[in-house]
Amino acid sequence: MTTSGLLNHRFIVFVFLALAVLPFLSDSRSMYILFTQIFIFAIFAMSFDLLLGYTGIVSFGHCMFFGIGAYSVSLFLKNFDATISYFLLGVLVAIVLSGILSYLIGMLSLRLKSHFYAMLTLAISQLLFVLAEKWRSLTMGGDGFTFPVPELFRDRLSFYYVCLILMVMLFVILRAFTHSPLGKVLKAIGQNEQRAEALGYQILHYKVIVSIVAGVVAAISGGLYAVMLRFVNTQVFSIETTLDALLMSMIGGLGTLFGSILGSGIVELAHHGLTELAKLHPIFERWVIFLGLLYILVVLCFPSGIVGSFQEWREKRKQRSVQAATITEQVE
């Protein structure tokens, strides 16, 4: 491992340790909820980053997997006992449904141009949105419903650590996934699909695999989100949910995974800060406009995102050092 790589790992470990000790510095309940939401959306954004950042697959309907996870867990906890067993059963059902759906969507659209996948995911996510709105006997439509949660999750501090641990575990798993031989093929597909195909790779298989993994991870984040709110409605299927994941991934840096965690933190903290400012200054009630401006600023100034721009700066610095050392040797 290079020195810069070691520094990267140390920084990531430092961030995770800082998040682990944060509750010892403040016992604010609102802070627990805010950071729990950051962890959950970081998981969701990482799943989106697998598609767009690593493989170049655009999805306009990634929220469908988030919604499937949210409704699966909510319905189990509402209609059965609010225990860990039924929570895990709801997550398992969400994983299976998301895996099957992402497999079918992938097989139908990924053999064609990437925009077919984008349009098909958008169409199916809106179909699920309408289905959830109309099937009121099950989902209560746009009004949604509340439900009890397992005793372990009732304490906001316990749920904070549950979500933090899950985020770290999924980050480690997905990082290993992207650094595996399969992950390297995905990167090759993202950079130049035709060249990867010419080298003999069955790119459809790789694309379907990453589609399934991304769908499953998004479903897990949806289940956690519903438990955090103890409420679910059809907004989990809205396109704004997908745009949130896109915004977080772009700000943090596509194809970095850790950038999704960073982007989730920035977006959620900005949202929280602007909401608080709106209590004092009415102009900040239009916080979506300010987030839109932030997105434009990042795209114009940091097209590779924060982590991507840092990596590019570090690479250029390394190249300059090598060139300077080469010139010094030639002079001597």
Side-chain angles (χ1 to χ4, degrees), residues 1-10 314:
M1 185 181 297
T2 62
T3 304
S4 58
L6 189 61
L7 287 174
N8 272 347
H9 280 78
R10 286 179 178 174
R314 194 183 60 194

Side-chain angles (χ1 to χ4, degrees), residues 226-238:
V227 171
M228 185 196 74
L229 294 181
R230 303 171 188 182
F231 169 80
V232 68
N233 68 0
T234 53
Q235 283 303 305
V236 290
F237 284 120
S238 68

Side-chain angles (χ1 to χ4, degrees), residues 195-202:
R195 186 168 59 188
E197 191 170 21
L199 289 172
Y201 292 109
Q202 296 291 327

Side-chain angles (χ1 to χ4, degrees), residues 62-77:
H62 201 52
C63 58
M64 79 174 88
F65 306 113
F66 190 83
I68 288 172
Y71 271 105
S72 297
V73 170
S74 305
L75 289 171
F76 267 93
L77 293 179

